[in-house]
Amino acid sequence: PIVQIKITNITATGKYAVGGILGCGTAKIDNCTVTNPIITANSEHGVAGAAVGIAVEESELSNINITSENSENYGVFSDGLAGGIVAINSGLLKDSSVKNITVKTTIENTPDNDEEATLNIYSGMCADAIQVQYLDMYENCTQENVNVIAGEA
């Protein structure tokens, strides 16, 4: 398990699965904080999350807090999917928060791009404040001052 890690001022860039703690994998992550992240996936098939790019089945993500000094300079940026905590989640995400970041994708945020994600209560289809896909897999997550932008280069 990955427990009680505090990461500050991280810049991570890649083409596929990029995250502040984990790019892609099955993991138990608990009680971790990422402060002032700049996480970038720079390909059209890339996915980026401030904590995790892709959390595969049986992952358990809990008490993860993402925050920054200001949402203009810090966040998650992708030419594919972007999530404030995790981009693609096949596990469980709970008791987590995201505050004062930008979540931005160059993909148009339309239902045609991702039918599953259109049900998301947090307004994102290809970019989202919490997570992009696998919508029934999170509980008790909050967002505050998250700027979600889609369709802009």
Side-chain angles (χ1 to χ4, degrees):
I2 301 170
V3 181
Q4 296 181 341
I5 292 178
K6 295 184 189 303
I7 299 172
T8 303
N9 297 325
I10 183 170
T11 299
T13 301
K15 287 189 175 184
Y16 183 59
V18 187
I21 297 171
L22 176 69
C24 177
T26 301
K28 290 186 178 185
I29 301 175
D30 183 42
N31 197 24
C32 293
T33 302
V34 179
T35 304
N36 297 336
I38 301 173
I39 309 298
T40 306
N42 56 14
S43 76
E44 66 181 275
H45 301 292
V47 296
V52 179
I54 301 173
V56 298
E57 291 179 19
E58 300 181 17
S59 289
E60 295 178 20
L61 314 175
S62 59
N63 299 300
I64 296 175
N65 298 296
I66 310 300
T67 189
S68 78
E69 296 166 358
N70 66 68
S71 63
E72 291 180 20
N73 297 325
Y74 300 102
V76 180
F77 310 94
S78 180
D79 290 333
L81 302 178
I85 297 173
V86 56
I88 298 175
N89 181 26
S90 297
L92 174 64
L93 170 65
K94 66 180 184 176
D95 303 323
S96 298
S97 67
V98 59
K99 182 177 178 180
N100 293 335
I101 67 167
T102 294
V103 180
K104 181 177 179 180
T105 178
T106 57
I107 297 175
E108 289 292 331
N109 220 15
T110 63
D112 294 334
N113 286 330
D114 187 347
E115 289 183 20
E116 287 182 326
T118 61
L119 303 174
N120 198 329
I121 62 172
Y122 288 105
S123 78
M125 283 76 156
C126 295
D128 189 78
I130 303 290
Q131 68 178 11
V132 178
Q133 293 183 327
Y134 300 97
L135 309 174
D136 296 330
M137 303 286 192
Y138 69 93
E139 57 189 49
N140 197 31
C141 294
T142 62
Q143 61 173 311
E144 182 181 332
N145 193 32
V146 178
N147 187 19
V148 178
I149 302 169
E152 293 182 14

